[in-house]
Amino acid sequence: QVQLVESGGGLVQPGGSLKLSCTASGFGVNPPYMAWYRQYPGKQREWVADITHGGSTTVTEAVRGRFTISRDDAKNTVYLQMDNLKPEDTAVYFCYGYEQFPYWGQGTQVTVVS
């Protein structure tokens, strides 16, 4: 059974940093495609960043230069380093993994406020 467990969310001031972690279990041998999404109240989830099997990364333009996605396959963990956070980054952040089927974590709240 595949499980994705996020951690690292919290309350931070504008300009601050947070590092989200997503630890996966139950996937097959090969590391799957992983991504981070975020969701604002009343809105659909939107893609933020992803990392492929081979380690190639992409981030959405709104966070480019501020957010970095990475993975540690030895720990089965994907990270989202978020720097220079802005109030508009306030959202629930979800980890996503795909290996034959899509899987979602439970989400972690990120709040950026003065």
Side-chain angles (χ1 to χ4, degrees), residues 6-12 18-21 36-41 82 85-95 105-113:
E6 300 108 331
S7 62
L11 181 69
V12 65
L18 285 173
K19 187 173 185 177
L20 306 183
S21 300
W36 287 96
Y37 283 72
R38 64 186 178 186
Q39 188 170 23
Y40 300 107
M82 305 185 295
L85 282 159
K86 302 177 180 181
E88 53 263 41
D89 295 319
T90 296
V92 179
Y93 284 72
F94 293 88
C95 179
Q106 81 285 359
T108 184
Q109 176 70 46
V110 171
T111 303
V112 185
V113 63

Side-chain angles (χ1 to χ4, degrees), residues 33-37 47-51 58-60 63 68-69 80:
Y33 167 89
M34 302 291 292
W36 287 96
Y37 283 72
W47 169 79
V48 176
D50 61 28
I51 186 164
T58 313
V59 298
T60 190
V63 306
T68 304
I69 187 171
L80 186 67

Side-chain angles (χ1 to χ4, degrees), residues 38-112:
R38 64 186 178 186
Q39 188 170 23
Y40 300 107
K43 303 291 186 181
Q44 288 188 332
R45 291 179 192 180
E46 62 179 40
W47 169 79
V48 176
D50 61 28
I51 186 164
T52 68
H53 296 266
S56 296
T57 63
T58 313
V59 298
T60 190
E61 187 172 352
V63 306
R64 195 165 296 151
R66 300 189 297 119
F67 290 12
T68 304
I69 187 171
S70 62
R71 62 194 298 163
D72 184 338
D73 290 335
K75 297 182 178 179
N76 294 320
T77 300
V78 175
Y79 304 98
L80 186 67
Q81 176 68 44
M82 305 185 295
D83 298 318
N84 190 22
L85 282 159
K86 302 177 180 181
E88 53 263 41
D89 295 319
T90 296
V92 179
Y93 284 72
F94 293 88
C95 179
Y96 171 90
Y98 184 89
E99 186 184 61
Q100 297 184 327
F101 301 99
Y103 299 94
W104 292 95
Q106 81 285 359
T108 184
Q109 176 70 46
V110 171
T111 303
V112 185

